Amino acid sequence: MPEKLLVENLTHHYPDEYTGESVHALDDVDLSVQEGEFISVVGPSGCGKSTLLNILAGLLPYHVGKVTVDGHMIHGPGPERGVVFQEHAILPWRTVNRNIGHGLEIRGVPKAERDNRVAQFVDLVGLTGFEDKYPHELSGGMKQRTAVARTLCADPEVMLMDEPFAAVDAQTRITLQEELIRISIATKKTIIFITHSVDEAAFLADRCVIFSRRPGRIKAIVDVDIPREERIWGNMNADTRFTSKRDEILHLVREEVSVEHEE
Ligand SMILES: Nc1ncnc2c1ncn2[C@@H]1O[C@H](COP(=O)(O)OP(=O)(O)OP(=O)(O)O)[C@@H](O)[C@H]1O
Ligand SMILES: [Mg+2]
């Protein structure tokens, strides 16, 4: 399969205009993502995961290294890449329905078709009955689900997701994880999914990227060889293919976190 995203020798420093000292966020990151692949990313807090995602989204300029989508250098956002942020970014002056349909509206999709698609995603994320509410009338988890639905509804080829389910309750989270697997089977999207949950990372991904503590480097990549059709939570804890990979990822992450605490 062709390569969808490519990151080569990516290093990133955030300048500090006041002290003149910079924060070294990413160090020589190389990653090649095939079309249709599902990649999860885990690593200690502050190791540069969101930095990498923002660079892939085209929202953060980079100066050292090369980052491409379909062979083209990334210099800004593009409709082929959709983002779900760590902090839900929905528009406060738009209702749930109009937030979810925002991308389609921008693209000029006719209202009837838009309404149809929006209804499908409202249902998918369990927001039926809240279509006409404004964000300030929603719970944190509902806002996050609106943000996820909005990105899915815009139908990008690449989904860049930064802890999208962190704020939702445990039951909804499991449902959304299974739905995301189902969507990935149906749509063949390329997905980069950042999470602090090792279970989530192992459940969702074809490959899990483990970052070192800052400055973030790729410490290891673990393949999770379970067909997506078989990824159903009810079966996972009895499936050694899952538990062994989860434990391997957990061990690799813990090494980084304990190093951090020892210092
Ligand atoms: N806009 C910014 N300006 C300066 N420093 C920043 C900026 N954004 C992030 N940083 C720093 O860069 C480092 C990496 O941050 P980043 O947000 O990428 O981490 P992360 O891995 O996503 O962490 P978390 O798991 O807590 O979300 C941190 O030390 C952070 O303080
Ligand atoms: Mg982050």
Side-chain angles (χ1 to χ4, degrees), residues 142-161:
M142 291 164 109
K143 285 184 214 168
Q144 195 64 10
R145 281 185 273 154
T146 305
V148 170
R150 185 178 65 170
T151 303
L152 284 171
C153 193
D155 200 24
E157 294 161 38
V158 178
M159 298 258 297
L160 303 168
M161 307 180 84

Side-chain angles (χ1 to χ4, degrees), residues 119-137:
Q120 190 189 324
F121 286 97
V122 164
D123 182 47
L124 178 71
V125 298
L127 284 170
T128 308
F130 293 87
E131 294 89 339
D132 299 320
K133 301 281 187 211
Y134 286 88
H136 75 267
E137 302 171 283

